[in-house]
Amino acid sequence: MKIGCLILASGQGKRFGSNKLLADLCGRPLLAHTLDCLPASVFAKTLVVTRWPQVADLCAARGVACLLHDREDRSDVIRLGIRYMEGMDGCLVCQGDQPLCRPASLAALAQAFERQPECIHRLAWQGVGASPVLFGAAHFSALASLPPKTGGSAVLKQCPQQIRLTEAQSPCELWDADTPEALERIARALQSPPLP
């Protein structure tokens, strides 16, 4: 099966106070850590969708495909990204500010999808689903026609019976960096010794 990865990196950082994707996290931009989480052998395509030219420059330097846009609405951002996934059997939708996802957890999510490609697969902790989410190609049309001001959660609400959860190895994998305080918590986790 061919699985794509769509990284949403278009947030305006209103709660953070600046472009959080380029914020320093242990000496490197936050988004660089997120990109490093992706197990390269799992994804046939990877695309970062952003409104930030600096993010596009970072992606270019790393050889990662990037779509630069000027749209405001989250639904437009997802629609632009999902078009790039034509020909994929599924697409993992990630947030650009979740740098603690482990490659092994994302690989497990992909394996769960390969076993049940008709389902929607979410990374979870203790039975509570979160982001990232892996959608099968059957849901691409719904993602491409989301109502204004909505995201992939609108599709999840339409298909609750199709959702399957894959447990993360640690709760911190689901953390995002919406505020400077959240980024500090992520930095502390990165600097802590890994759990056995």
Side-chain angles (χ1 to χ4, degrees):
M1 281 193 171
K2 292 182 179 180
I3 302 174
C5 180
L6 174 61
I7 301 174
L8 305 179
S10 296
Q12 299 188 38
K14 291 179 180 178
R15 291 176 60 193
F16 193 86
S18 63
N19 185 348
K20 60 185 175 182
L21 299 166
L22 298 174
D24 181 82
L25 177 59
C26 300
R28 296 191 298 138
L30 166 63
L31 182 61
H33 290 270
T34 301
L35 293 172
D36 286 344
C37 295
L38 304 177
S41 61
V42 170
F43 301 110
K45 282 185 179 181
T46 298
L47 177 71
V48 175
V49 184
T50 188
R51 69 175 71 251
W52 302 103
Q54 302 94 328
V55 168
D57 291 343
L58 185 155
C59 292
R62 295 176 59 102
V64 177
C66 183
L67 176 61
L68 187 62
H69 67 90
D70 60 358
R71 307 295 176 89
E72 295 292 328
D73 197 292
R74 184 176 181 83
S75 62
D76 289 330
V77 174
I78 293 176
R79 179 166 56 254
L80 289 170
I82 208 67
R83 287 175 180 166
Y84 184 82
M85 298 298 159
E86 183 177 352
M88 297 292 100
D89 298 298
C91 177
L92 182 72
V93 179
C94 301
Q95 306 300 322
D97 65 344
Q98 273 188 277
L100 297 179
C101 283
R102 297 181 182 178
S105 294
L106 298 182
L109 199 59
Q111 290 163 5
F113 170 74
E114 290 174 350
R115 291 191 296 268
Q116 292 183 294
E118 72 282 2
C119 295
I120 299 171
H121 296 267
R122 303 184 72 179
L123 199 62
W125 179 250
Q126 296 183 344
V128 179
S131 177
V133 183
L134 207 168
F135 296 91
H139 299 284
F140 286 6
S141 60
L143 291 168
S145 56
L146 290 168
K149 302 187 184 303
T150 63
S153 60
V155 178
L156 299 178
K157 290 175 182 176
Q158 293 170 2
C159 311
Q161 73 285 356
Q162 295 184 27
I163 296 172
R164 301 292 183 271
L165 304 180
T166 295
E167 282 288 307
Q169 298 176 14
S170 166
C172 67
E173 293 187 67
L174 308 183
W175 295 353
D176 57 23
D178 279 345
T179 64
E181 294 76 19
L183 184 64
E184 289 176 10
R185 182 173 73 154
I186 288 170
R188 289 194 298 271
L190 273 175
Q191 293 165 345
S192 298
L195 295 173

mmCIF file of all heavy atoms in Angstrom, residues 5-10 21 31 34-35 38 45-52 55-56 58-60 64-69 77 81 84-85 94 96:
data_model
loop_
_atom_site.group_PDB
_atom_site.id
_atom_site.type_symbol
_atom_site.label_atom_id
_atom_site.label_comp_id
_atom_site.label_asym_id
_atom_site.label_seq_id
_atom_site.Cartn_x
_atom_site.Cartn_y
_atom_site.Cartn_z
ATOM 1 N N CYS A 5 1.962 11.406 3.583
ATOM 2 C CA CYS A 5 1.988 12.143 4.848
ATOM 3 C C CYS A 5 1.818 13.625 4.549
ATOM 4 O O CYS A 5 2.604 14.214 3.796
ATOM 5 C CB CYS A 5 3.298 11.900 5.586
ATOM 6 S SG CYS A 5 3.407 12.774 7.157
ATOM 7 N N LEU A 6 0.787 14.210 5.129
ATOM 8 C CA LEU A 6 0.477 15.625 4.958
ATOM 9 C C LEU A 6 0.732 16.335 6.282
ATOM 10 O O LEU A 6 0.109 16.002 7.297
ATOM 11 C CB LEU A 6 -0.983 15.783 4.525
ATOM 12 C CG LEU A 6 -1.551 17.195 4.432
ATOM 13 C CD1 LEU A 6 -0.771 18.013 3.415
ATOM 14 C CD2 LEU A 6 -3.032 17.143 4.064
ATOM 15 N N ILE A 7 1.645 17.284 6.282
ATOM 16 C CA ILE A 7 1.990 18.025 7.493
ATOM 17 C C ILE A 7 1.408 19.425 7.399
ATOM 18 O O ILE A 7 1.744 20.201 6.495
ATOM 19 C CB ILE A 7 3.511 18.088 7.686
ATOM 20 C CG1 ILE A 7 4.079 16.671 7.775
ATOM 21 C CG2 ILE A 7 3.857 18.881 8.943
ATOM 22 C CD1 ILE A 7 5.581 16.619 7.821
ATOM 23 N N LEU A 8 0.521 19.742 8.324
ATOM 24 C CA LEU A 8 -0.137 21.047 8.345
ATOM 25 C C LEU A 8 0.746 22.026 9.109
ATOM 26 O O LEU A 8 0.978 21.869 10.309
ATOM 27 C CB LEU A 8 -1.509 20.927 9.005
ATOM 28 C CG LEU A 8 -2.456 19.876 8.377
ATOM 29 C CD1 LEU A 8 -3.775 19.831 9.129
ATOM 30 C CD2 LEU A 8 -2.685 20.161 6.896
ATOM 31 N N ALA A 9 1.235 23.031 8.404
ATOM 32 C CA ALA A 9 2.177 23.987 8.993
ATOM 33 C C ALA A 9 1.778 25.409 8.606
ATOM 34 O O ALA A 9 2.616 26.227 8.222
ATOM 35 C CB ALA A 9 3.597 23.679 8.524
ATOM 36 N N SER A 10 0.487 25.688 8.711
ATOM 37 C CA SER A 10 -0.040 26.980 8.261
ATOM 38 C C SER A 10 -0.596 27.843 9.382
ATOM 39 O O SER A 10 -1.145 28.903 9.127
ATOM 40 C CB SER A 10 -1.147 26.758 7.216
ATOM 41 O OG SER A 10 -0.636 26.157 6.059
ATOM 42 N N LEU A 21 6.470 27.286 14.399
ATOM 43 C CA LEU A 21 7.122 26.232 13.624
ATOM 44 C C LEU A 21 8.622 26.467 13.477
ATOM 45 O O LEU A 21 9.387 25.526 13.284
ATOM 46 C CB LEU A 21 6.472 26.125 12.249
ATOM 47 C CG LEU A 21 4.987 25.765 12.289
ATOM 48 C CD1 LEU A 21 4.340 26.018 10.939
ATOM 49 C CD2 LEU A 21 4.801 24.325 12.719
ATOM 50 N N LEU A 31 9.782 22.654 13.649
ATOM 51 C CA LEU A 31 9.339 21.826 12.522
ATOM 52 C C LEU A 31 10.390 20.805 12.113
ATOM 53 O O LEU A 31 10.048 19.702 11.661
ATOM 54 C CB LEU A 31 8.966 22.714 11.329
ATOM 55 C CG LEU A 31 8.449 21.975 10.095
ATOM 56 C CD1 LEU A 31 7.173 21.186 10.402
ATOM 57 C CD2 LEU A 31 8.201 22.941 8.935
ATOM 58 N N THR A 34 9.787 17.759 14.039
ATOM 59 C CA THR A 34 8.598 17.050 13.550
ATOM 60 C C THR A 34 8.927 16.243 12.299
ATOM 61 O O THR A 34 8.521 15.078 12.174
ATOM 62 C CB THR A 34 7.460 18.046 13.256
ATOM 63 O OG1 THR A 34 7.146 18.778 14.454
ATOM 64 C CG2 THR A 34 6.207 17.324 12.776
ATOM 65 N N LEU A 35 9.673 16.837 11.395
ATOM 66 C CA LEU A 35 10.051 16.118 10.176
ATOM 67 C C LEU A 35 10.920 14.906 10.493
ATOM 68 O O LEU A 35 10.824 13.869 9.829
ATOM 69 C CB LEU A 35 10.786 17.060 9.217
ATOM 70 C CG LEU A 35 9.951 18.202 8.615
ATOM 71 C CD1 LEU A 35 10.844 19.156 7.843
ATOM 72 C CD2 LEU A 35 8.846 17.655 7.716
ATOM 73 N N LEU A 38 9.286 11.356 11.169
ATOM 74 C CA LEU A 38 8.641 10.575 10.121
ATOM 75 C C LEU A 38 9.524 9.412 9.690
ATOM 76 O O LEU A 38 10.655 9.636 9.232
ATOM 77 C CB LEU A 38 8.333 11.463 8.913
ATOM 78 C CG LEU A 38 7.491 12.705 9.189
ATOM 79 C CD1 LEU A 38 7.330 13.518 7.912
ATOM 80 C CD2 LEU A 38 6.128 12.329 9.762
ATOM 81 N N LYS A 45 4.866 9.566 -0.185
ATOM 82 C CA LYS A 45 4.867 11.008 -0.452
ATOM 83 C C LYS A 45 4.799 11.738 0.881
ATOM 84 O O LYS A 45 4.090 11.297 1.790
ATOM 85 C CB LYS A 45 3.637 11.429 -1.268
ATOM 86 C CG LYS A 45 3.645 11.154 -2.733
ATOM 87 C CD LYS A 45 2.384 11.755 -3.362
ATOM 88 C CE LYS A 45 2.319 11.533 -4.859
ATOM 89 N NZ LYS A 45 1.101 12.144 -5.446
ATOM 90 N N THR A 46 5.500 12.848 0.969
ATOM 91 C CA THR A 46 5.372 13.733 2.123
ATOM 92 C C THR A 46 5.233 15.154 1.613
ATOM 93 O O THR A 46 5.957 15.569 0.705
ATOM 94 C CB THR A 46 6.599 13.626 3.051
ATOM 95 O OG1 THR A 46 6.700 12.293 3.550
ATOM 96 C CG2 THR A 46 6.470 14.579 4.230
ATOM 97 N N LEU A 47 4.288 15.894 2.194
ATOM 98 C CA LEU A 47 4.055 17.285 1.781
ATOM 99 C C LEU A 47 3.807 18.142 3.009
ATOM 100 O O LEU A 47 2.980 17.799 3.859
ATOM 101 C CB LEU A 47 2.846 17.381 0.848
ATOM 102 C CG LEU A 47 2.462 18.809 0.414
ATOM 103 C CD1 LEU A 47 3.509 19.371 -0.554
ATOM 104 C CD2 LEU A 47 1.080 18.844 -0.233
ATOM 105 N N VAL A 48 4.533 19.250 3.095
ATOM 106 C CA VAL A 48 4.266 20.276 4.098
ATOM 107 C C VAL A 48 3.447 21.377 3.426
ATOM 108 O O VAL A 48 3.808 21.854 2.346
ATOM 109 C CB VAL A 48 5.576 20.854 4.663
ATOM 110 C CG1 VAL A 48 5.295 22.013 5.617
ATOM 111 C CG2 VAL A 48 6.379 19.767 5.375
ATOM 112 N N VAL A 49 2.351 21.765 4.050
ATOM 113 C CA VAL A 49 1.522 22.850 3.527
ATOM 114 C C VAL A 49 1.650 24.032 4.485
ATOM 115 O O VAL A 49 1.384 23.902 5.681
ATOM 116 C CB VAL A 49 0.050 22.421 3.397
ATOM 117 C CG1 VAL A 49 -0.775 23.534 2.767
ATOM 118 C CG2 VAL A 49 -0.069 21.155 2.562
ATOM 119 N N THR A 50 2.064 25.191 3.963
ATOM 120 C CA THR A 50 2.353 26.320 4.836
ATOM 121 C C THR A 50 2.041 27.651 4.166
ATOM 122 O O THR A 50 2.017 27.753 2.944
ATOM 123 C CB THR A 50 3.831 26.294 5.276
ATOM 124 O OG1 THR A 50 4.047 27.293 6.285
ATOM 125 C CG2 THR A 50 4.762 26.558 4.095
ATOM 126 N N ARG A 51 1.839 28.657 5.003
ATOM 127 C CA ARG A 51 1.702 30.027 4.516
ATOM 128 C C ARG A 51 3.008 30.807 4.700
ATOM 129 O O ARG A 51 3.114 31.956 4.328
ATOM 130 C CB ARG A 51 0.583 30.752 5.266
ATOM 131 C CG ARG A 51 0.903 31.035 6.724
ATOM 132 C CD ARG A 51 -0.168 31.850 7.425
ATOM 133 N NE ARG A 51 -1.360 31.045 7.631
ATOM 134 C CZ ARG A 51 -2.492 31.223 6.970
ATOM 135 N NH1 ARG A 51 -2.590 32.177 6.070
ATOM 136 N NH2 ARG A 51 -3.537 30.453 7.213
ATOM 137 N N TRP A 52 4.013 30.155 5.312
ATOM 138 C CA TRP A 52 5.230 30.849 5.718
ATOM 139 C C TRP A 52 6.388 30.588 4.748
ATOM 140 O O TRP A 52 6.855 29.455 4.631
ATOM 141 C CB TRP A 52 5.650 30.383 7.113
ATOM 142 C CG TRP A 52 4.610 30.588 8.158
ATOM 143 C CD1 TRP A 52 3.789 29.642 8.698
ATOM 144 C CD2 TRP A 52 4.276 31.814 8.808
ATOM 145 N NE1 TRP A 52 2.959 30.196 9.634
ATOM 146 C CE2 TRP A 52 3.244 31.532 9.727
ATOM 147 C CE3 TRP A 52 4.763 33.121 8.708
ATOM 148 C CZ2 TRP A 52 2.671 32.519 10.529
ATOM 149 C CZ3 TRP A 52 4.199 34.101 9.504
ATOM 150 C CH2 TRP A 52 3.177 33.794 10.405
ATOM 151 N N VAL A 55 9.257 28.696 6.328
ATOM 152 C CA VAL A 55 9.021 27.257 6.457
ATOM 153 C C VAL A 55 9.303 26.565 5.129
ATOM 154 O O VAL A 55 9.910 25.487 5.079
ATOM 155 C CB VAL A 55 7.582 26.976 6.938
ATOM 156 C CG1 VAL A 55 7.241 25.495 6.802
ATOM 157 C CG2 VAL A 55 7.412 27.427 8.387
ATOM 158 N N ALA A 56 8.870 27.191 4.035
ATOM 159 C CA ALA A 56 9.150 26.630 2.709
ATOM 160 C C ALA A 56 10.656 26.542 2.477
ATOM 161 O O ALA A 56 11.148 25.559 1.898
ATOM 162 C CB ALA A 56 8.491 27.488 1.633
ATOM 163 N N LEU A 58 12.965 26.142 4.812
ATOM 164 C CA LEU A 58 13.451 25.034 5.639
ATOM 165 C C LEU A 58 13.202 23.697 4.940
ATOM 166 O O LEU A 58 14.079 22.828 4.907
ATOM 167 C CB LEU A 58 12.768 25.068 7.006
ATOM 168 C CG LEU A 58 13.210 24.066 8.073
ATOM 169 C CD1 LEU A 58 12.914 24.614 9.468
ATOM 170 C CD2 LEU A 58 12.535 22.709 7.910
ATOM 171 N N CYS A 59 12.004 23.552 4.385
ATOM 172 C CA CYS A 59 11.672 22.302 3.686
ATOM 173 C C CYS A 59 12.554 22.100 2.466
ATOM 174 O O CYS A 59 13.032 20.988 2.205
ATOM 175 C CB CYS A 59 10.198 22.314 3.275
ATOM 176 S SG CYS A 59 9.039 22.223 4.666
ATOM 177 N N ALA A 60 12.795 23.175 1.719
ATOM 178 C CA ALA A 60 13.643 23.077 0.528
ATOM 179 C C ALA A 60 15.047 22.626 0.910
ATOM 180 O O ALA A 60 15.660 21.795 0.218
ATOM 181 C CB ALA A 60 13.684 24.416 -0.202
ATOM 182 N N VAL A 64 12.280 18.350 1.298
ATOM 183 C CA VAL A 64 10.901 17.943 1.579
ATOM 184 C C VAL A 64 9.953 18.780 0.721
ATOM 185 O O VAL A 64 10.071 20.013 0.676
ATOM 186 C CB VAL A 64 10.562 18.132 3.073
ATOM 187 C CG1 VAL A 64 9.100 17.787 3.342
ATOM 188 C CG2 VAL A 64 11.475 17.288 3.944
ATOM 189 N N ALA A 65 9.018 18.135 0.041
ATOM 190 C CA ALA A 65 8.061 18.861 -0.789
ATOM 191 C C ALA A 65 7.237 19.801 0.081
ATOM 192 O O ALA A 65 6.823 19.452 1.190
ATOM 193 C CB ALA A 65 7.146 17.882 -1.517
ATOM 194 N N CYS A 66 6.992 21.007 -0.439
ATOM 195 C CA CYS A 66 6.260 22.009 0.331
ATOM 196 C C CYS A 66 5.350 22.801 -0.603
ATOM 197 O O CYS A 66 5.751 23.148 -1.716
ATOM 198 C CB CYS A 66 7.236 22.951 1.038
ATOM 199 S SG CYS A 66 6.443 24.169 2.100
ATOM 200 N N LEU A 67 4.148 23.061 -0.140
ATOM 201 C CA LEU A 67 3.187 23.871 -0.886
ATOM 202 C C LEU A 67 2.973 25.174 -0.128
ATOM 203 O O LEU A 67 2.475 25.175 1.003
ATOM 204 C CB LEU A 67 1.866 23.122 -1.040
ATOM 205 C CG LEU A 67 0.724 23.880 -1.721
ATOM 206 C CD1 LEU A 67 1.116 24.274 -3.144
ATOM 207 C CD2 LEU A 67 -0.538 23.035 -1.738
ATOM 208 N N LEU A 68 3.379 26.277 -0.724
ATOM 209 C CA LEU A 68 3.225 27.599 -0.123
ATOM 210 C C LEU A 68 1.931 28.217 -0.635
ATOM 211 O O LEU A 68 1.678 28.222 -1.838
ATOM 212 C CB LEU A 68 4.425 28.467 -0.498
ATOM 213 C CG LEU A 68 4.556 29.829 0.157
ATOM 214 C CD1 LEU A 68 4.707 29.705 1.671
ATOM 215 C CD2 LEU A 68 5.748 30.583 -0.432
ATOM 216 N N HIS A 69 1.109 28.733 0.267
ATOM 217 C CA HIS A 69 -0.212 29.236 -0.120
ATOM 218 C C HIS A 69 -0.517 30.515 0.651
ATOM 219 O O HIS A 69 0.224 30.919 1.555
ATOM 220 C CB HIS A 69 -1.286 28.177 0.170
ATOM 221 C CG HIS A 69 -1.467 27.940 1.641
ATOM 222 N ND1 HIS A 69 -2.354 28.648 2.401
ATOM 223 C CD2 HIS A 69 -0.850 27.083 2.496
ATOM 224 C CE1 HIS A 69 -2.287 28.249 3.660
ATOM 225 N NE2 HIS A 69 -1.381 27.298 3.745
ATOM 226 N N VAL A 77 -6.644 24.706 3.468
ATOM 227 C CA VAL A 77 -5.299 24.152 3.618
ATOM 228 C C VAL A 77 -5.323 22.636 3.419
ATOM 229 O O VAL A 77 -4.492 22.067 2.708
ATOM 230 C CB VAL A 77 -4.726 24.516 5.000
ATOM 231 C CG1 VAL A 77 -3.380 23.824 5.225
ATOM 232 C CG2 VAL A 77 -4.573 26.027 5.133
ATOM 233 N N GLY A 81 -3.704 20.282 0.327
ATOM 234 C CA GLY A 81 -2.779 19.193 0.611
ATOM 235 C C GLY A 81 -3.258 17.849 0.122
ATOM 236 O O GLY A 81 -2.479 17.056 -0.419
ATOM 237 N N TYR A 84 -2.607 16.643 -3.436
ATOM 238 C CA TYR A 84 -1.268 16.129 -3.715
ATOM 239 C C TYR A 84 -1.187 14.629 -3.478
ATOM 240 O O TYR A 84 -0.267 13.969 -3.960
ATOM 241 C CB TYR A 84 -0.273 16.872 -2.811
ATOM 242 C CG TYR A 84 1.184 16.539 -3.020
ATOM 243 C CD1 TYR A 84 1.916 17.137 -4.041
ATOM 244 C CD2 TYR A 84 1.841 15.651 -2.171
ATOM 245 C CE1 TYR A 84 3.268 16.853 -4.209
ATOM 246 C CE2 TYR A 84 3.183 15.360 -2.337
ATOM 247 C CZ TYR A 84 3.890 15.955 -3.359
ATOM 248 O OH TYR A 84 5.222 15.672 -3.534
ATOM 249 N N MET A 85 -2.146 14.094 -2.742
ATOM 250 C CA MET A 85 -2.109 12.685 -2.360
ATOM 251 C C MET A 85 -2.847 11.774 -3.336
ATOM 252 O O MET A 85 -3.072 10.593 -3.037
ATOM 253 C CB MET A 85 -2.685 12.518 -0.949
ATOM 254 C CG MET A 85 -1.888 13.251 0.114
ATOM 255 S SD MET A 85 -0.190 12.614 0.234
ATOM 256 C CE MET A 85 0.638 14.005 1.028
ATOM 257 N N CYS A 94 -0.711 15.160 9.840
ATOM 258 C CA CYS A 94 0.052 15.514 11.040
ATOM 259 C C CYS A 94 0.010 17.019 11.270
ATOM 260 O O CYS A 94 -0.099 17.802 10.318
ATOM 261 C CB CYS A 94 1.524 15.120 10.886
ATOM 262 S SG CYS A 94 1.836 13.390 10.581
ATOM 263 N N GLY A 96 2.214 20.251 12.388
ATOM 264 C CA GLY A 96 3.622 20.600 12.337
ATOM 265 C C GLY A 96 4.248 20.860 13.687
ATOM 266 O O GLY A 96 5.474 20.912 13.799
#
